[in-house]
Amino acid sequence: MSATVYLETFGCQMNVADSERAAVRLRAAGFDLEDSPENADVIIFNTCSVRERAAHKVFTRIGEVRRQRLINEPVVGVMGCVAQLEGTSLFDSSPLVNLIAGTRATDRLPHLIGRALDGENRIVDLDERAEGEKWDLPATARTSKYVAFVPIIEGCNKFCTYCIVPYSRGREKSRPASEIVAEIKELRDYGYREIHLIGQNVNSYRPRTEAGLEDFKGATPFCRLLRAVAATEMERIKFTTSFPRDFHPDIVAAIDEYDNLCEWIHLPVQSGSDRVLRMMRRGHTASDYLKRIEAIKNARRRIAITSDIIVGFPGETDADFRDTMRLVEQVGYDGLYIFKYSERPGTPAAKLDDDVSREEKTARFLELEQAQRRHQEKIYGRYIDREIKVLIERPSSKSEADMTGHSTCHKVVNFPAPLALLGEIARVRVTQAKPNSLYGEILSAP
Ligand code: 5AD
Ligand code: SF4
């Protein structure tokens, strides 16, 4: 009988994509994937270390699994960012761990697990990807049947002072455009309706050659890639995450040209204060950012804008925080991810004196959250009676009669529909606006 593996994923879309890739490589090597940790021979945690609690969660989970399984001891492995950063010290923090695979060891995972199953202990692989390693994932092997994440660039060269990503995922590496386009065509032919181009900073996409992009215009390689991907006629195309300094207005022009480039842009600002932005080494001011927003707001269709904000960065004064509140008001975000600053060891910001108390961080977090709730209520309210197109992705977890999916503007939308419509794109009339989702009724579906 072949060994069974349970793979649990924490953190961002990059990790989700990496886990899919790990699952494909494991199945190809003859392993069976399990849905729960109870009976698996091998348990792998794909970890995230961008924020404090994300890393902490993994240790809690390892403890929980350990308590669940007193008799049969599985092979426990940690992969991803925490593995890359902590290395062998993980063996000391958790005696159950006997395999550590860094952020670029995904394709070697079957081999590493094989060694562990042969009885080897304390296995570590923190190496770079092998030369010529392909990023492709067959359409047949993905988790969702309708929405696929397609990595176009990994790593980050920005070194924002608070961020661990350049250390955990290394320098930027772009994937060849011809490979990306071929994968998307395969996904389209297989029946996928939506793809997300993903990367820590998609705007700095810069492949080694122009192969696959020659026929497409665009101010940056990413703009050319967007047009090349749009030309595949994949029905819905979204992309995250954009970085303000590299966000060229030509991206908006491309969205204007192609209806299948969806009307949603995630453009994290982090702070509305120039002083804090400087300390974060973001390389843009609030007014540079607002110029980008202006370009997005002048698009042919209304483009939904979402963002990330860190409150309580070391040295952030109340006046700085007021600048952030003002910027948020000015932009009118469709959604906001708010984080309290948390120190990441080894980053430049960790050397700063963090003089914003925990209480102050929490107070700013709550104030911003409440303001955003008010803005969002207005923005979501404007959708009432409007018609939107929703990809039906799964049954709603809240109501048996309802299905759930995302609109082209990336809102969560729930509505009554039969299971048979899974994977279809429906025209939905919005009847209610909830704080973080819309509710509606189907007008038509195929
Ligand atoms: N503390 C708090 N939030 C952080 N982020 C990244 N690093 C930190 C940190 N040290 C947030 C940023 C980023 C998002 C993915 O996580 O807002 O955009
Ligand atoms: Fe981190 Fe900045 Fe890179 Fe985003 S752009 S991953 S915040 S260093």
Side-chain angles (χ1 to χ4, degrees), residues 50-51 162-163 270 308 310 339-342 344:
V50 170
R51 289 175 300 277
Y162 52 82
C163 186
Q270 314 297 359
D308 296 344
I310 297 176
F339 308 104
K340 292 182 214 170
Y341 169 74
S342 92
R344 308 287 72 205

Side-chain angles (χ1 to χ4, degrees), residues 39 71 92 103 133 214-215 221 237 254 261 311 342 389 391 417:
N39 301 309
I71 310 165
D92 309 323
T103 48
E133 196 174 287
E214 305 92 337
D215 297 340
I237 298 151
L261 294 179
V311 295
S342 92
K389 282 198 178 138
L391 171 58

Side-chain angles (χ1 to χ4, degrees), residues 50-283:
V50 170
R51 289 175 300 277
E52 195 167 33
R53 275 196 297 180
H56 183 76
K57 251 183 8 206
V58 181
F59 294 110
T60 314
R61 274 298 286 152
I62 292 178
E64 279 169 14
V65 167
R66 174 171 214 185
R67 277 191 296 281
Q68 271 172 2
R69 307 189 27 142
L70 287 175
I71 310 165
N72 167 18
E73 290 271 293
V75 167
V76 174
V78 178
M79 65 183 275
C81 292
V82 175
Q84 188 72 41
L85 294 166
E86 306 284 327
T88 51
S89 73
L90 283 176
F91 293 137
D92 309 323
S93 340
S94 177
L96 206 66
V97 175
N98 52 2
L99 191 164
I100 292 167
T103 48
R104 284 144 297 178
T106 317
D107 282 6
R108 295 184 291 272
L109 204 56
H111 172 67
L112 299 170
I113 291 178
R115 279 167 52 192
L117 289 169
D118 284 343
E120 196 177 325
N121 208 351
R122 296 197 160 215
I123 298 166
V124 187
D125 182 339
L126 303 176
D127 299 342
E128 291 293 326
R129 290 203 189 286
E131 201 47 52
E133 196 174 287
K134 284 253 189 288
W135 301 29
D136 64 307
L137 268 194
T140 46
R142 293 176 176 254
T143 328
S144 161
K145 285 202 271 207
Y146 321 113
V147 183
F149 294 149
V150 178
I152 63 165
I153 177 169
E154 65 176 356
C156 186
N157 294 353
K158 293 293 176 217
F159 289 92
C160 301
T161 55
Y162 52 82
C163 186
I164 200 72
V165 168
Y167 310 92
S168 63
R169 291 204 172 257
R171 295 303 89 77
E172 285 169 2
K173 228 185 210 168
S174 294
R175 189 177 172 195
S178 46
E179 200 181 300
I180 297 169
V181 168
E183 181 169 317
I184 293 170
K185 283 184 179 158
E186 191 203 340
L187 289 164
R188 178 203 61 197
D189 293 345
Y190 196 71
Y192 277 83
R193 318 294 301 261
E194 178 171 311
I195 58 119
H196 292 217
L197 304 175
I198 62 167
Q200 306 295 342
N201 173 4
V202 289
N203 311 136
S204 60
Y205 175 71
R206 206 150 276 113
R208 277 207 217 142
T209 71
E210 281 280 305
L213 299 177
E214 305 92 337
D215 297 340
F216 301 93
K217 62 171 181 138
T220 63
F222 179 63
C223 296
R224 286 201 280 287
L225 178 73
L226 267 185
R227 288 185 173 90
V229 170
T232 64
E233 295 184 0
M234 166 58 74
E235 268 178 286
R236 300 167 33 134
I237 298 151
K238 298 177 178 175
F239 56 88
T240 54
T241 294
S242 287
F243 183 73
R245 203 170 68 204
D246 302 339
F247 185 91
H248 197 286
D250 188 35
I251 294 173
V252 181
I255 296 177
D256 278 347
E257 281 159 42
Y258 291 92
D259 280 344
N260 56 348
L261 294 179
C262 290
E263 59 275 18
W264 166 53
I265 291 172
H266 183 60
L267 191 64
V269 65
Q270 314 297 359
S271 169
S273 150
D274 287 345
R275 216 177 62 83
V276 173
L277 287 169
R278 225 173 9 251
M279 290 193 289
M280 290 176 163
R281 240 184 267 144
R282 292 282 292 174

